[in-house]
Amino acid sequence: MQSFAGRVALVTGGGSGIGRATALAFARKGAKVVVVGRTHETIEETKEMIEHGGGEAIAVQADVSVDGQVRSMVQTAVDRFGRLDFACNAAGIGGKLAPVAEITEDEFDSIVSINLKGVWLCMKHQIGQMQMQGGGVIVNIASVNGLRGTPQAAVYAASKSGVISLTRSAALEYAQSNIRINAVCPGAVLTPMLGQVFHTTGITKQQYRTRIPQGRIGKPIDIAHTVIWMCSDEASYITGHIMTVDGGVSAG
């Protein structure tokens, strides 16, 4: 796969899990990386990991649900590196596991603000920059839960369904601007969010593995590799696509 030397990648949710793995993967391909997250310590740690590997990165603290912070995030990337070629919008939260009638309005608003509004705001400002420079690639992280009903996580699933529809619509709107927009729908991946599910439900990793045709839970790098490929020229004829990466779960 091609080198990303001279290119600039921005990754939200870059302090852990899929976001961190993707930021590190971009750096290994030679891209300069803008690591974005709400927690200063974790994004600084990702930045230091990139630098330790010989890469170049900056850490930008931002809440993706706040327009001004997202606008500043993109501007900081451009001020530092001169352009924005790739964006992976991975920031997200799972929220409380509970039936629909037991979710509070504040809990609903929190999930939708980060998972859906956050992706919209990120794309809004990323697209503006990419239009000015003649193109770019955006990959949004959705979820297999956005493709089906998910008991005890209806609002999370709804937010990820929204990301899928937002991705498809934006891809159609900006295809002629040389901006490709796709989404990845991970299944079970070993992240802090899945750890919270194990803790809350009492389900063990071994029990979870039995649900997956490949017999293993995904790793963050599995998703990162998919994002990198979607950003490469090898995927240049792909836009508006929703890529499921779940070990075969959704095939059944």
Side-chain angles (χ1 to χ4, degrees):
M1 196 182 296
Q2 74 184 100
S3 167
F4 288 162
R7 306 282 193 91
V8 179
L10 183 153
V11 182
T12 69
S16 67
I18 291 169
R20 171 172 284 179
T22 301
L24 294 171
F26 271 123
R28 286 192 293 271
K29 296 300 294 181
K32 298 174 183 178
V33 185
V34 181
V35 183
V36 179
R38 289 191 293 181
T39 306
H40 175 76
E41 291 77 13
T42 59
I43 58 174
E44 280 291 334
E45 189 175 65
T46 302
K47 170 182 172 287
E48 290 169 5
M49 293 168 72
I50 290 171
E51 292 174 339
H52 182 73
E56 186 174 356
I58 58 171
V60 179
Q61 191 170 9
D63 182 337
V64 297
S65 69
V66 180
D67 181 78
Q69 294 186 33
V70 176
R71 183 187 301 109
S72 178
M73 164 191 92
V74 173
Q75 189 59 53
T76 299
V78 176
D79 289 346
R80 176 63 182 269
F81 295 129
R83 57 186 298 110
L84 178 62
D85 299 286
F86 312 121
C88 176
N89 296 315
I93 60 173
K96 181 174 74 175
L97 295 176
V100 167
E102 297 178 16
I103 299 294
T104 68
E105 185 175 5
D106 285 345
E107 289 164 346
F108 179 96
D109 289 344
S110 176
I111 294 168
V112 173
S113 289
I114 297 293
N115 293 1
L116 182 54
K117 179 185 176 184
V119 170
W120 166 65
L121 283 174
C122 286
M123 286 204 299
K124 175 184 176 70
H125 295 289
Q126 292 157 358
I127 287 168
Q129 173 60 31
M130 290 176 178
Q131 282 183 302
M132 288 191 292
Q133 67 190 36
V137 185
I138 297 172
V139 181
N140 298 319
I141 303 300
S143 170
V144 292
N145 293 318
L147 299 169
R148 63 192 183 193
T150 308
Q152 307 296 313
V155 179
Y156 174 79
S159 71
K160 294 300 187 177
S161 292
V163 170
I164 290 167
S165 292
L166 195 62
T167 297
R168 287 175 168 149
S169 298
L172 294 173
E173 291 173 349
Y174 295 99
Q176 293 189 7
S177 296
N178 194 33
I179 300 172
R180 295 192 297 107
I181 305 173
N182 296 294
V184 177
C185 286
V189 177
L190 290 169
T191 64
M193 189 183 298
L194 184 61
Q196 182 182 10
V197 172
F198 290 150
H199 176 74
T200 302
T201 64
I203 295 173
T204 66
K205 290 182 182 179
Q206 183 55 42
Q207 289 171 326
Y208 218 94
R209 289 189 193 103
T210 64
R211 305 177 179 182
I212 304 170
Q214 283 194 337
R216 72 175 178 91
I217 298 173
K219 301 175 183 177
I221 192 63
D222 294 319
I223 311 305
H225 284 157
T226 305
V227 173
I228 296 299
W229 176 75
M230 282 187 150
C231 288
S232 74
D233 288 346
E234 283 85 349
S236 64
Y237 200 48
I238 300 174
T239 195
H241 182 64
I242 311 303
M243 174 74 77
T244 302
V245 185
D246 66 353
V249 171
S250 60

